[in-house]
Amino acid sequence: MPRPLGELEDAVMTRVWKWNRPVTVREVLEDLQQERSIAYTTVMTVLDNLHQKGWVRREAEGRAYRYEAVSTRAAYSAALMNDAWSQSDNPAAALVAFFGMMSEEQRRALRDAVHIVQGPEEGPEQGEGGGETRVTPDAADEKRVEKPDEKPVEASGEKPGEKPGENPDSGSGGTGR
Protein backbone atom coordinates (compact mmCIF):
# COMPACT_ATOMS: atom_id res chain seq x y z
CA MET A 1 0.00 0.00 0.00
CA PRO A 2 1.37 3.41 -0.85
CA ARG A 3 2.01 5.90 1.88
CA PRO A 4 0.20 9.16 1.37
CA LEU A 5 2.33 11.59 -0.61
CA GLY A 6 3.87 14.50 1.24
CA GLU A 7 2.73 18.04 0.42
CA LEU A 8 5.52 18.76 -2.08
CA GLU A 9 5.39 15.26 -3.56
CA ASP A 10 1.66 15.73 -4.09
CA ALA A 11 2.18 19.14 -5.72
CA VAL A 12 4.71 17.61 -8.13
CA MET A 13 2.63 14.50 -8.85
CA THR A 14 -0.47 16.64 -9.42
CA ARG A 15 1.34 18.29 -12.32
CA VAL A 16 2.68 15.02 -13.68
CA TRP A 17 -0.81 13.49 -13.57
CA LYS A 18 -2.51 16.60 -14.98
CA TRP A 19 -0.13 16.97 -17.91
CA ASN A 20 -0.26 13.22 -18.64
CA ARG A 21 3.02 13.20 -20.58
CA PRO A 22 6.73 12.95 -19.81
CA VAL A 23 7.85 16.15 -18.03
CA THR A 24 11.17 17.75 -17.14
CA VAL A 25 12.27 19.13 -13.81
CA ARG A 26 12.34 22.60 -15.41
CA GLU A 27 8.65 22.36 -16.50
CA VAL A 28 7.52 21.32 -13.04
CA LEU A 29 9.74 23.98 -11.43
CA GLU A 30 8.34 26.80 -13.57
CA ASP A 31 4.77 25.81 -12.81
CA LEU A 32 5.43 25.42 -9.07
CA GLN A 33 7.14 28.82 -8.95
CA GLN A 34 3.79 30.44 -9.81
CA GLU A 35 2.65 29.37 -6.33
CA ARG A 36 5.80 29.32 -4.20
CA SER A 37 9.48 30.02 -4.10
CA ILE A 38 11.30 26.77 -4.81
CA ALA A 39 14.74 25.74 -6.09
CA TYR A 40 15.48 23.62 -9.15
CA THR A 41 17.45 21.16 -7.00
CA THR A 42 14.47 20.71 -4.66
CA VAL A 43 12.17 19.71 -7.53
CA MET A 44 14.90 17.47 -8.93
CA THR A 45 15.28 15.75 -5.55
CA VAL A 46 11.51 15.28 -5.18
CA LEU A 47 11.23 13.74 -8.65
CA ASP A 48 14.24 11.49 -7.93
CA ASN A 49 12.60 10.37 -4.67
CA LEU A 50 9.31 9.73 -6.49
CA HIS A 51 11.24 7.65 -9.01
CA GLN A 52 12.91 5.61 -6.25
CA LYS A 53 9.49 5.07 -4.60
CA GLY A 54 8.05 3.82 -7.90
CA TRP A 55 5.64 6.69 -8.57
CA VAL A 56 7.36 7.85 -11.77
CA ARG A 57 9.59 6.31 -14.41
CA ARG A 58 12.24 8.34 -16.14
CA GLU A 59 14.12 8.37 -19.40
CA ALA A 60 17.33 10.21 -20.07
CA GLU A 61 17.13 13.05 -22.55
CA GLY A 62 20.54 14.60 -22.99
CA ARG A 63 21.85 15.48 -19.54
CA ALA A 64 18.38 15.58 -17.97
CA TYR A 65 15.50 13.18 -17.42
CA ARG A 66 11.87 13.19 -18.50
CA TYR A 67 9.54 11.83 -15.82
CA GLU A 68 6.21 10.10 -16.40
CA ALA A 69 3.62 8.79 -13.92
CA VAL A 70 3.54 5.03 -13.43
CA SER A 71 -0.16 5.03 -12.52
CA THR A 72 -3.07 7.47 -12.38
CA ARG A 73 -4.22 9.75 -9.59
CA ALA A 74 -7.44 7.69 -9.50
CA ALA A 75 -5.44 4.51 -8.84
CA TYR A 76 -3.49 6.31 -6.09
CA SER A 77 -6.71 7.55 -4.46
CA ALA A 78 -8.28 4.10 -4.72
CA ALA A 79 -5.25 2.48 -3.06
CA LEU A 80 -5.42 4.97 -0.17
CA MET A 81 -9.15 4.37 0.30
CA ASN A 82 -8.70 0.60 0.13
CA ASP A 83 -5.93 0.70 2.72
CA ALA A 84 -7.96 2.86 5.11
CA TRP A 85 -10.99 0.62 4.66
CA SER A 86 -9.07 -2.63 5.14
CA GLN A 87 -7.59 -1.36 8.42
CA SER A 88 -11.04 -0.85 9.93
CA ASP A 89 -12.20 -3.34 12.55
CA ASN A 90 -15.71 -3.01 11.07
CA PRO A 91 -15.41 -2.46 7.30
CA ALA A 92 -19.19 -2.37 6.72
CA ALA A 93 -19.69 0.36 9.33
CA ALA A 94 -16.73 2.27 7.90
CA LEU A 95 -18.33 2.20 4.45
CA VAL A 96 -21.69 3.33 5.82
CA ALA A 97 -20.00 6.22 7.63
CA PHE A 98 -18.00 7.11 4.51
CA PHE A 99 -21.12 7.07 2.31
CA GLY A 100 -22.84 9.28 4.88
CA MET A 101 -20.11 11.91 4.41
CA MET A 102 -20.60 12.03 0.64
CA SER A 103 -22.36 14.80 -1.22
CA GLU A 104 -25.20 13.88 -3.55
CA GLU A 105 -22.83 14.39 -6.49
CA GLN A 106 -20.33 11.96 -4.96
CA ARG A 107 -23.11 9.41 -4.38
CA ARG A 108 -24.12 9.67 -8.05
CA ALA A 109 -20.48 9.13 -9.05
CA LEU A 110 -20.35 6.09 -6.74
CA ARG A 111 -23.54 4.65 -8.27
CA ASP A 112 -22.12 5.21 -11.75
CA ALA A 113 -18.89 3.46 -10.76
CA VAL A 114 -20.78 0.48 -9.30
CA HIS A 115 -22.79 0.19 -12.54
CA ILE A 116 -19.54 0.18 -14.54
CA VAL A 117 -17.92 -2.47 -12.34
CA GLN A 118 -20.99 -4.71 -12.15
CA GLY A 119 -22.00 -4.40 -15.77
CA PRO A 120 -25.52 -3.98 -17.11
CA GLU A 121 -26.95 -7.32 -15.92
CA GLU A 122 -25.60 -7.64 -12.39
CA GLY A 123 -26.79 -6.36 -9.07
CA PRO A 124 -30.05 -4.99 -7.73
CA GLU A 125 -29.58 -1.44 -8.98
CA GLN A 126 -32.44 -1.57 -11.49
CA GLY A 127 -35.87 -2.64 -10.30
CA GLU A 128 -39.02 -3.17 -12.33
CA GLY A 129 -39.89 -0.13 -14.38
CA GLY A 130 -36.24 0.99 -14.40
CA GLY A 131 -36.43 2.63 -10.97
CA GLU A 132 -33.15 3.02 -9.21
CA THR A 133 -32.48 1.23 -5.92
CA ARG A 134 -30.31 3.05 -3.36
CA VAL A 135 -28.62 1.81 -0.22
CA THR A 136 -28.68 4.62 2.32
CA PRO A 137 -27.20 4.80 5.81
CA ASP A 138 -29.94 5.30 8.42
CA ALA A 139 -27.69 4.35 11.31
CA ALA A 140 -24.11 3.20 11.68
CA ASP A 141 -24.97 -0.51 11.86
CA GLU A 142 -28.14 -0.56 9.74
CA LYS A 143 -28.67 -0.22 6.04
CA ARG A 144 -31.93 0.36 4.24
CA VAL A 145 -32.85 0.05 0.61
CA GLU A 146 -35.01 2.72 -0.98
CA LYS A 147 -36.68 2.98 -4.34
CA PRO A 148 -38.01 6.30 -5.56
CA ASP A 149 -41.61 6.89 -4.44
CA GLU A 150 -41.57 3.86 -2.14
CA LYS A 151 -41.07 3.40 1.58
CA PRO A 152 -37.65 2.08 2.60
CA VAL A 153 -37.42 -1.68 3.17
CA GLU A 154 -34.82 -3.56 5.15
CA ALA A 155 -31.89 -4.77 3.05
CA SER A 156 -32.70 -8.38 3.83
CA GLY A 157 -32.07 -9.93 0.47
CA GLU A 158 -35.31 -9.13 -1.35
CA LYS A 159 -34.78 -8.86 -5.07
CA PRO A 160 -35.86 -5.77 -7.00
CA GLY A 161 -39.55 -5.88 -7.80
CA GLU A 162 -40.38 -8.25 -4.92
CA LYS A 163 -42.64 -7.11 -2.17
CA PRO A 164 -41.17 -7.32 1.34
CA GLY A 165 -41.83 -10.73 2.84
CA GLU A 166 -42.66 -12.31 -0.54
CA ASN A 167 -40.92 -15.65 -1.03
CA PRO A 168 -39.77 -16.09 -4.63
CA ASP A 169 -39.40 -19.85 -4.12
CA SER A 170 -43.03 -20.33 -3.10
CA GLY A 171 -44.19 -20.79 -6.68
CA SER A 172 -45.50 -17.22 -7.07
CA GLY A 173 -43.56 -16.62 -10.26
CA GLY A 174 -40.17 -15.73 -8.75
CA THR A 175 -36.97 -17.00 -10.29
CA GLY A 176 -35.58 -18.34 -7.01
CA ARG A 177 -32.08 -17.13 -7.88
Side-chain angles (χ1 to χ4, degrees):
M1 164 55 214
R3 266 189 34 226
L5 295 170
E7 180 191 350
L8 189 52
E9 289 174 326
D10 186 69
V12 169
M13 283 304 300
T14 294
R15 284 150 178 86
V16 174
W17 282 317
K18 181 174 75 173
W19 296 335
N20 197 28
R21 62 175 172 75
V23 300
T24 64
V25 172
R26 175 83 44 209
E27 291 172 308
V28 175
L29 171 71
E30 289 173 357
D31 200 60
L32 281 171
Q33 285 179 331
Q34 294 176 24
E35 298 173 3
R36 62 175 90 186
S37 177
I38 190 166
Y40 180 93
T41 54
T42 301
V43 176
M44 185 174 62
T45 300
V46 169
L47 279 164
D48 186 58
N49 290 342
L50 289 167
H51 175 255
Q52 290 178 25
K53 292 177 181 181
W55 287 108
V56 294
R57 65 179 140 264
R58 67 184 180 191
E59 281 202 30
E61 184 177 278
R63 293 180 15 184
Y65 288 106
R66 284 203 172 264
Y67 295 87
E68 186 173 18
V70 170
S71 66
T72 64
R73 176 158 217 133
Y76 166 69
S77 297
L80 290 176
M81 288 187 290
N82 186 58
D83 185 56
W85 180 51
S86 66
Q87 291 183 25
S88 172
D89 61 348
N90 187 342
L95 282 175
V96 170
F98 179 63
F99 297 155
M101 294 177 198
M102 292 178 151
S103 68
E104 188 54 39
E105 182 180 340
Q106 290 169 319
R107 287 188 190 110
R108 277 192 299 275
L110 175 64
R111 282 192 292 273
D112 291 346
V114 169
H115 287 291
I116 290 168
V117 170
Q118 289 182 335
E121 298 187 20
E122 292 184 37
E125 283 72 28
Q126 293 295 321
E128 289 179 8
E132 182 177 292
T133 301
R134 294 188 312 251
V135 178
T136 59
D138 282 346
D141 295 322
E142 181 180 356
K143 91 180 160 176
R144 301 179 78 72
V145 177
E146 295 180 47
K147 287 188 175 185
D149 304 323
E150 289 185 15
K151 290 178 118 180
V153 295
E154 291 300 320
S156 59
E158 287 100 6
K159 292 178 181 60
E162 289 180 7
K163 294 187 177 28
E166 180 178 291
N167 183 353
D169 297 323
S170 66
S172 61
T175 62
R177 294 194 287 161

